[in-house]
Amino acid sequence: MQKKFVKLAVLFVIFAIFGCTRMYTLPDAPPRAEWQSTEQKPQETQEDIVRRFLDSKRAAIQCYAALADGDWERAMSFMSAQTRAFLENHSNGNGAASVFETNTIYSDDGEELAFDPVGDVFIRDLTDIRDDFAGRQDDESQTRKVLYAVSTSGKARELVFILEDDKWRLDSPNLQFDLLTE
């Protein structure tokens, strides 16, 4: 009986080693030139997300207050380089601050347009600056945050803030006149 068991065990081992070669073979890897590298995004803590929101909202409030007070230089210090360049390019050669001072901005074809520093950059009758609006999905990262300036009528304007030179700045390299509704 023991000899039968040993023979059976030996046969089983031989079968397992030689009889069960691959049941499935993997395809060859593509050539190295076709490999694609993927980076994993570092996991953010809830604390990091909240800090980014609070820091960008603080910058939004300070930018809004400077615009409302007519402190154009301070307001522009809360704007990205692209936004300041946009204002400069649409000032008819008078400098970015003149867009705010004269309440006038010039289109690409030179047409003179009325411009409200507070209402056109943020929104008229601002009541809140929110993290989300109407369940929209925002493209955000550790250096980009989307906020919403909401008016008393419930309409909103998207405000994009970017981290530039270790400071959150409004990034609006063009004027958007359309307002969002819930």
Side-chain angles (χ1 to χ4, degrees):
M1 176 79 169
Q2 207 171 17
K3 280 186 177 182
K4 261 187 177 180
F5 178 72
V6 171
K7 284 182 184 178
L8 193 56
V10 169
L11 284 175
F12 179 72
V13 170
I14 291 171
F15 178 74
I17 293 172
F18 297 107
C20 293
T21 56
R22 296 183 174 172
M23 292 177 69
Y24 176 78
T25 56
L26 295 173
D28 293 333
R32 190 172 198 89
E34 294 179 15
W35 289 9
Q36 294 179 358
S37 176
T38 59
E39 287 185 35
Q40 288 184 331
K41 286 173 93 175
Q43 291 294 325
E44 283 189 296
T45 65
Q46 189 63 29
E47 183 179 316
D48 292 334
I49 294 168
V50 170
R51 182 179 300 118
R52 185 174 62 239
F53 164 66
L54 292 175
D55 290 347
S56 60
K57 184 173 180 174
R58 187 177 303 112
I61 291 168
Q62 290 173 334
C63 184
Y64 176 83
L67 286 171
D69 291 343
D71 189 347
W72 314 131
E73 291 303 317
R74 186 165 169 7
M76 285 191 295
S77 75
F78 288 99
M79 296 180 185
S80 70
Q82 276 190 306
T83 303
R84 291 189 308 270
F86 170 80
L87 293 169
E88 185 73 34
N89 292 336
H90 291 84
S91 68
N92 200 28
N94 297 318
S98 72
V99 171
F100 299 121
E101 291 166 356
T102 63
N103 294 340
T104 303
I105 194 163
Y106 294 86
S107 67
D108 289 334
D109 61 4
E111 181 184 354
E112 188 175 313
L113 304 170
F115 179 75
D116 175 8
V118 175
D120 291 337
V121 175
F122 279 81
I123 198 165
R124 287 173 185 79
D125 301 320
L126 177 77
T127 58
D128 194 12
I129 295 175
R130 297 184 191 163
D131 191 22
D132 58 11
F133 185 78
R136 293 174 52 109
Q137 296 296 317
D138 301 316
D139 179 24
E140 297 182 338
S141 68
Q142 292 178 345
T143 58
R144 184 177 194 276
K145 180 69 181 151
V146 178
L147 300 174
Y148 296 91
V150 182
S151 71
T152 54
S153 67
K155 294 185 178 183
R157 175 169 285 130
E158 181 181 275
L159 304 171
V160 175
F161 280 79
I162 60 170
L163 193 59
E164 186 177 83
D165 298 328
D166 294 327
K167 183 176 178 180
W168 286 100
R169 299 174 193 270
L170 178 65
D171 188 44
S172 183
N174 55 33
L175 288 178
Q176 56 177 7
F177 291 104
D178 296 333
L179 297 179
L180 306 170
T181 56
E182 289 190 79

